[in-house]
Amino acid sequence: FNPDRFEMGASRREAGRRPNETIRDIVLERPFYLPLTQVTNSQFRQFDSEHSPGPRNGMTLNNEGQPVVRITWQQAALFCNWLSEKGGLTPFYTLVDGSVVGFDAESHGYRLPTEAEWAWAARRDIADPSGVRKFSWDGDLPPPDGAGNLADVSARAFLGDILFDYNDRSPVTTTVGTYSANQHGLFDMAGNVAEWVNDYYGASGSLGVERDPLGPEAGQFRVIRGSSWAHGTIAELRLSFRDFGEEPRDDVGFRVARYLED
């Protein structure tokens, strides 16, 4: 992708908007790669052969083509370094005693997308050079058929907040790439699993233009972007929704990224 300038966040008037969605003026100058799909169990088990997420409500999360879940941010970052080493690339993440303590911003190795890259790839509207999208699909709620793997009537037996007028026929995670791609050809930017991104979670927003932001320098939590199979409210389904955490979840996975070579 060859990104450009856009606005992250959401207006205070937007229905479902949360306080951590402050509008930010972002300029992305460094071209970057993203894969079409989230990392699958099959791909992650090449790195950790014993990983098994177990079931949810009696339904498997462990099929080869399902997105990997129940992993920490650290595990996702270590997978990225392993992938870099396999490809003969300088690892992006710096390790001490096997744990990530920093990163090399000049590395072209695999990494997690920055929050700004994720937001650009999810929201930048190809049809409107000055605009960003509210949802991954055209229009408002409810989503059209095939829009994504969201919290809906197929999961009403064990989820509270669901879309009663939508049925994706997948109560939990499903094979990546099953539903419609977004404008940039990326699958599951809404639904299936939410995604760990590179940034520490912190106060969003600034007084000026941010260029290729990499997030706060330190923190306890990491940013999680996107909705999942367990999300069904207007707040969560909007592409500006920001979450955070540090513990593994059965609805959070990741996709990789890396900067374009010079």
Side-chain angles (χ1 to χ4, degrees), residues 3-4 7 9 16 19 26 32 83 85-86 96 102 107-108 127-128 142 151-152 167 169 198 215 221 232 237 249:
D4 54 11
E7 281 192 347
I26 305 292
F32 62 93
L83 198 59
E85 291 164 358
K86 281 178 63 68
V96 172
S107 166
H108 296 100
D128 179 3
D152 66 338
N167 187 357
R169 298 169 181 81
N198 179 75
F221 302 108
L237 297 177
R249 285 173 26 187

mmCIF file of all heavy atoms in Angstrom, residues 3-4 7 9 16 19 26 32 83 85-86 96 102 107-108 127-128 142 151-152 167 169 198 215 221 232 237 249:
data_model
loop_
_atom_site.group_PDB
_atom_site.id
_atom_site.type_symbol
_atom_site.label_atom_id
_atom_site.label_comp_id
_atom_site.label_asym_id
_atom_site.label_seq_id
_atom_site.Cartn_x
_atom_site.Cartn_y
_atom_site.Cartn_z
ATOM 1 N N PRO A 3 0.192 4.699 1.234
ATOM 2 C CA PRO A 3 -0.822 5.456 1.972
ATOM 3 C C PRO A 3 -0.659 6.955 1.808
ATOM 4 O O PRO A 3 0.228 7.435 1.094
ATOM 5 C CB PRO A 3 -0.575 5.033 3.422
ATOM 6 C CG PRO A 3 0.899 4.759 3.453
ATOM 7 C CD PRO A 3 1.247 4.180 2.107
ATOM 8 N N ASP A 4 -1.524 7.699 2.488
ATOM 9 C CA ASP A 4 -1.528 9.145 2.376
ATOM 10 C C ASP A 4 -2.069 9.742 3.662
ATOM 11 O O ASP A 4 -2.046 9.110 4.715
ATOM 12 C CB ASP A 4 -2.346 9.579 1.153
ATOM 13 C CG ASP A 4 -3.764 8.989 1.168
ATOM 14 O OD1 ASP A 4 -4.170 8.429 2.209
ATOM 15 O OD2 ASP A 4 -4.476 9.089 0.153
ATOM 16 N N GLU A 7 -7.819 11.047 8.442
ATOM 17 C CA GLU A 7 -8.188 11.290 9.829
ATOM 18 C C GLU A 7 -8.546 9.984 10.521
ATOM 19 O O GLU A 7 -9.394 9.226 10.039
ATOM 20 C CB GLU A 7 -9.379 12.247 9.925
ATOM 21 C CG GLU A 7 -9.038 13.705 9.754
ATOM 22 C CD GLU A 7 -10.192 14.620 10.136
ATOM 23 O OE1 GLU A 7 -11.325 14.117 10.301
ATOM 24 O OE2 GLU A 7 -9.956 15.833 10.270
ATOM 25 N N GLY A 9 -10.037 8.283 14.168
ATOM 26 C CA GLY A 9 -10.983 8.703 15.185
ATOM 27 C C GLY A 9 -12.359 8.986 14.622
ATOM 28 O O GLY A 9 -12.656 8.687 13.466
ATOM 29 N N GLY A 16 -22.469 5.842 18.816
ATOM 30 C CA GLY A 16 -21.598 4.756 19.247
ATOM 31 C C GLY A 16 -20.178 5.169 19.543
ATOM 32 O O GLY A 16 -19.391 4.365 20.037
ATOM 33 N N PRO A 19 -14.986 7.695 24.071
ATOM 34 C CA PRO A 19 -14.069 8.797 24.377
ATOM 35 C C PRO A 19 -12.643 8.607 23.871
ATOM 36 O O PRO A 19 -11.916 9.594 23.702
ATOM 37 C CB PRO A 19 -14.092 8.854 25.912
ATOM 38 C CG PRO A 19 -15.411 8.269 26.295
ATOM 39 C CD PRO A 19 -15.669 7.203 25.287
ATOM 40 N N ILE A 26 -3.381 12.259 10.493
ATOM 41 C CA ILE A 26 -2.302 11.296 10.256
ATOM 42 C C ILE A 26 -1.773 11.421 8.828
ATOM 43 O O ILE A 26 -2.553 11.503 7.878
ATOM 44 C CB ILE A 26 -2.793 9.847 10.473
ATOM 45 C CG1 ILE A 26 -3.399 9.682 11.872
ATOM 46 C CG2 ILE A 26 -1.663 8.857 10.236
ATOM 47 C CD1 ILE A 26 -2.424 9.793 13.003
ATOM 48 N N PHE A 32 3.784 0.190 2.834
ATOM 49 C CA PHE A 32 3.835 -1.016 3.661
ATOM 50 C C PHE A 32 3.044 -2.155 3.013
ATOM 51 O O PHE A 32 2.189 -1.931 2.160
ATOM 52 C CB PHE A 32 3.302 -0.735 5.071
ATOM 53 C CG PHE A 32 1.860 -0.297 5.129
ATOM 54 C CD1 PHE A 32 0.837 -1.220 5.311
ATOM 55 C CD2 PHE A 32 1.518 1.052 5.010
ATOM 56 C CE1 PHE A 32 -0.490 -0.812 5.368
ATOM 57 C CE2 PHE A 32 0.189 1.480 5.065
ATOM 58 C CZ PHE A 32 -0.814 0.532 5.252
ATOM 59 N N LEU A 83 9.214 -15.177 11.547
ATOM 60 C CA LEU A 83 8.943 -15.083 10.113
ATOM 61 C C LEU A 83 10.040 -14.273 9.416
ATOM 62 O O LEU A 83 10.458 -14.616 8.303
ATOM 63 C CB LEU A 83 7.578 -14.436 9.900
ATOM 64 C CG LEU A 83 6.904 -14.604 8.539
ATOM 65 C CD1 LEU A 83 6.687 -16.069 8.212
ATOM 66 C CD2 LEU A 83 5.567 -13.853 8.532
ATOM 67 N N GLU A 85 13.190 -14.035 10.357
ATOM 68 C CA GLU A 85 14.391 -14.876 10.303
ATOM 69 C C GLU A 85 14.279 -15.920 9.204
ATOM 70 O O GLU A 85 15.264 -16.207 8.505
ATOM 71 C CB GLU A 85 14.616 -15.524 11.667
ATOM 72 C CG GLU A 85 15.032 -14.506 12.732
ATOM 73 C CD GLU A 85 14.903 -15.027 14.144
ATOM 74 O OE1 GLU A 85 14.452 -16.194 14.312
ATOM 75 O OE2 GLU A 85 15.245 -14.287 15.089
ATOM 76 N N LYS A 86 13.090 -16.475 9.009
ATOM 77 C CA LYS A 86 12.894 -17.441 7.923
ATOM 78 C C LYS A 86 13.120 -16.786 6.566
ATOM 79 O O LYS A 86 13.592 -17.430 5.630
ATOM 80 C CB LYS A 86 11.476 -18.027 7.978
ATOM 81 C CG LYS A 86 11.266 -19.112 9.005
ATOM 82 C CD LYS A 86 9.818 -19.594 9.011
ATOM 83 C CE LYS A 86 9.408 -20.221 7.684
ATOM 84 N NZ LYS A 86 10.097 -21.497 7.427
ATOM 85 N N VAL A 96 15.002 -9.265 24.845
ATOM 86 C CA VAL A 96 15.897 -9.511 25.978
ATOM 87 C C VAL A 96 15.320 -10.688 26.740
ATOM 88 O O VAL A 96 14.152 -10.651 27.168
ATOM 89 C CB VAL A 96 16.018 -8.282 26.898
ATOM 90 C CG1 VAL A 96 16.801 -8.641 28.162
ATOM 91 C CG2 VAL A 96 16.700 -7.126 26.168
ATOM 92 N N GLY A 102 11.477 -3.675 22.737
ATOM 93 C CA GLY A 102 11.528 -2.512 21.854
ATOM 94 C C GLY A 102 11.482 -2.956 20.417
ATOM 95 O O GLY A 102 11.180 -4.116 20.109
ATOM 96 N N SER A 107 13.825 -1.367 10.439
ATOM 97 C CA SER A 107 13.805 -2.740 9.943
ATOM 98 C C SER A 107 12.693 -2.933 8.924
ATOM 99 O O SER A 107 11.610 -2.349 9.033
ATOM 100 C CB SER A 107 13.586 -3.706 11.113
ATOM 101 O OG SER A 107 13.253 -4.998 10.649
ATOM 102 N N HIS A 108 12.968 -3.766 7.922
ATOM 103 C CA HIS A 108 11.949 -4.170 6.963
ATOM 104 C C HIS A 108 11.410 -5.567 7.285
ATOM 105 O O HIS A 108 10.772 -6.204 6.447
ATOM 106 C CB HIS A 108 12.507 -4.135 5.541
ATOM 107 C CG HIS A 108 12.883 -2.761 5.093
ATOM 108 N ND1 HIS A 108 14.172 -2.304 5.091
ATOM 109 C CD2 HIS A 108 12.127 -1.724 4.661
ATOM 110 C CE1 HIS A 108 14.204 -1.050 4.661
ATOM 111 N NE2 HIS A 108 12.971 -0.680 4.394
ATOM 112 N N ALA A 127 -13.364 5.506 -3.015
ATOM 113 C CA ALA A 127 -14.292 6.278 -3.833
ATOM 114 C C ALA A 127 -14.318 7.760 -3.471
ATOM 115 O O ALA A 127 -14.746 8.590 -4.264
ATOM 116 C CB ALA A 127 -15.696 5.696 -3.714
ATOM 117 N N ASP A 128 -13.866 8.091 -2.263
ATOM 118 C CA ASP A 128 -13.889 9.478 -1.798
ATOM 119 C C ASP A 128 -12.502 9.833 -1.278
ATOM 120 O O ASP A 128 -12.161 9.499 -0.142
ATOM 121 C CB ASP A 128 -14.931 9.645 -0.690
ATOM 122 C CG ASP A 128 -14.982 11.072 -0.147
ATOM 123 O OD1 ASP A 128 -14.251 11.938 -0.668
ATOM 124 O OD2 ASP A 128 -15.756 11.306 0.801
ATOM 125 N N PRO A 142 -28.523 -2.733 9.461
ATOM 126 C CA PRO A 142 -27.735 -3.954 9.626
ATOM 127 C C PRO A 142 -26.796 -4.178 8.441
ATOM 128 O O PRO A 142 -26.998 -3.611 7.357
ATOM 129 C CB PRO A 142 -28.806 -5.050 9.669
ATOM 130 C CG PRO A 142 -29.901 -4.509 8.798
ATOM 131 C CD PRO A 142 -29.923 -3.023 9.073
ATOM 132 N N ALA A 151 -21.341 -10.902 15.672
ATOM 133 C CA ALA A 151 -22.256 -11.451 16.676
ATOM 134 C C ALA A 151 -23.677 -11.307 16.167
ATOM 135 O O ALA A 151 -24.185 -10.200 16.011
ATOM 136 C CB ALA A 151 -22.077 -10.712 18.000
ATOM 137 N N ASP A 152 -24.318 -12.434 15.916
ATOM 138 C CA ASP A 152 -25.629 -12.415 15.260
ATOM 139 C C ASP A 152 -26.483 -13.552 15.769
ATOM 140 O O ASP A 152 -26.168 -14.173 16.788
ATOM 141 C CB ASP A 152 -25.426 -12.493 13.745
ATOM 142 C CG ASP A 152 -24.831 -13.829 13.321
ATOM 143 O OD1 ASP A 152 -24.201 -14.506 14.164
ATOM 144 O OD2 ASP A 152 -24.990 -14.219 12.155
ATOM 145 N N ASN A 167 -27.479 -12.899 9.892
ATOM 146 C CA ASN A 167 -27.086 -14.285 10.149
ATOM 147 C C ASN A 167 -25.917 -14.651 9.240
ATOM 148 O O ASN A 167 -26.085 -14.781 8.025
ATOM 149 C CB ASN A 167 -28.259 -15.242 9.907
ATOM 150 C CG ASN A 167 -27.930 -16.674 10.330
ATOM 151 O OD1 ASN A 167 -26.817 -16.976 10.751
ATOM 152 N ND2 ASN A 167 -28.904 -17.563 10.217
ATOM 153 N N ARG A 169 -24.109 -17.427 9.902
ATOM 154 C CA ARG A 169 -24.058 -18.888 9.997
ATOM 155 C C ARG A 169 -22.733 -19.400 10.582
ATOM 156 O O ARG A 169 -22.353 -20.537 10.358
ATOM 157 C CB ARG A 169 -24.332 -19.527 8.631
ATOM 158 C CG ARG A 169 -25.720 -19.193 8.091
ATOM 159 C CD ARG A 169 -25.917 -19.582 6.644
ATOM 160 N NE ARG A 169 -27.246 -19.211 6.186
ATOM 161 C CZ ARG A 169 -27.588 -17.981 5.788
ATOM 162 N NH1 ARG A 169 -26.673 -17.012 5.782
ATOM 163 N NH2 ARG A 169 -28.817 -17.707 5.412
ATOM 164 N N ASN A 198 0.589 -2.989 16.638
ATOM 165 C CA ASN A 198 1.913 -2.746 17.228
ATOM 166 C C ASN A 198 1.887 -1.847 18.461
ATOM 167 O O ASN A 198 2.658 -2.051 19.399
ATOM 168 C CB ASN A 198 2.812 -2.107 16.164
ATOM 169 C CG ASN A 198 4.194 -1.797 16.687
ATOM 170 O OD1 ASN A 198 5.020 -2.685 16.859
ATOM 171 N ND2 ASN A 198 4.475 -0.516 16.951
ATOM 172 N N GLY A 215 2.969 4.916 18.014
ATOM 173 C CA GLY A 215 2.310 4.789 19.299
ATOM 174 C C GLY A 215 3.175 5.254 20.454
ATOM 175 O O GLY A 215 4.333 5.634 20.278
ATOM 176 N N PHE A 221 -0.853 -1.880 28.332
ATOM 177 C CA PHE A 221 -1.733 -2.568 27.401
ATOM 178 C C PHE A 221 -1.332 -2.294 25.953
ATOM 179 O O PHE A 221 -0.652 -1.311 25.661
ATOM 180 C CB PHE A 221 -3.177 -2.116 27.621
ATOM 181 C CG PHE A 221 -3.681 -2.346 29.008
ATOM 182 C CD1 PHE A 221 -3.873 -1.274 29.877
ATOM 183 C CD2 PHE A 221 -3.956 -3.619 29.461
ATOM 184 C CE1 PHE A 221 -4.335 -1.481 31.163
ATOM 185 C CE2 PHE A 221 -4.420 -3.843 30.754
ATOM 186 C CZ PHE A 221 -4.604 -2.763 31.608
ATOM 187 N N GLY A 232 -21.435 -7.135 18.396
ATOM 188 C CA GLY A 232 -22.675 -6.918 17.668
ATOM 189 C C GLY A 232 -23.327 -5.573 17.914
ATOM 190 O O GLY A 232 -24.467 -5.364 17.507
ATOM 191 N N LEU A 237 -18.864 -2.270 16.054
ATOM 192 C CA LEU A 237 -18.808 -2.586 14.632
ATOM 193 C C LEU A 237 -18.257 -1.445 13.783
ATOM 194 O O LEU A 237 -17.845 -1.663 12.644
ATOM 195 C CB LEU A 237 -20.192 -2.982 14.121
ATOM 196 C CG LEU A 237 -20.780 -4.254 14.741
ATOM 197 C CD1 LEU A 237 -22.177 -4.508 14.209
ATOM 198 C CD2 LEU A 237 -19.885 -5.455 14.488
ATOM 199 N N ARG A 249 -7.365 -13.741 24.282
ATOM 200 C CA ARG A 249 -8.812 -13.822 24.170
ATOM 201 C C ARG A 249 -9.184 -14.744 23.018
ATOM 202 O O ARG A 249 -8.406 -14.909 22.078
ATOM 203 C CB ARG A 249 -9.420 -12.435 23.921
ATOM 204 C CG ARG A 249 -9.442 -11.550 25.123
ATOM 205 C CD ARG A 249 -9.866 -10.121 24.891
ATOM 206 N NE ARG A 249 -10.725 -9.844 23.753
ATOM 207 C CZ ARG A 249 -11.051 -8.607 23.379
ATOM 208 N NH1 ARG A 249 -10.606 -7.549 24.055
ATOM 209 N NH2 ARG A 249 -11.826 -8.412 22.330
#
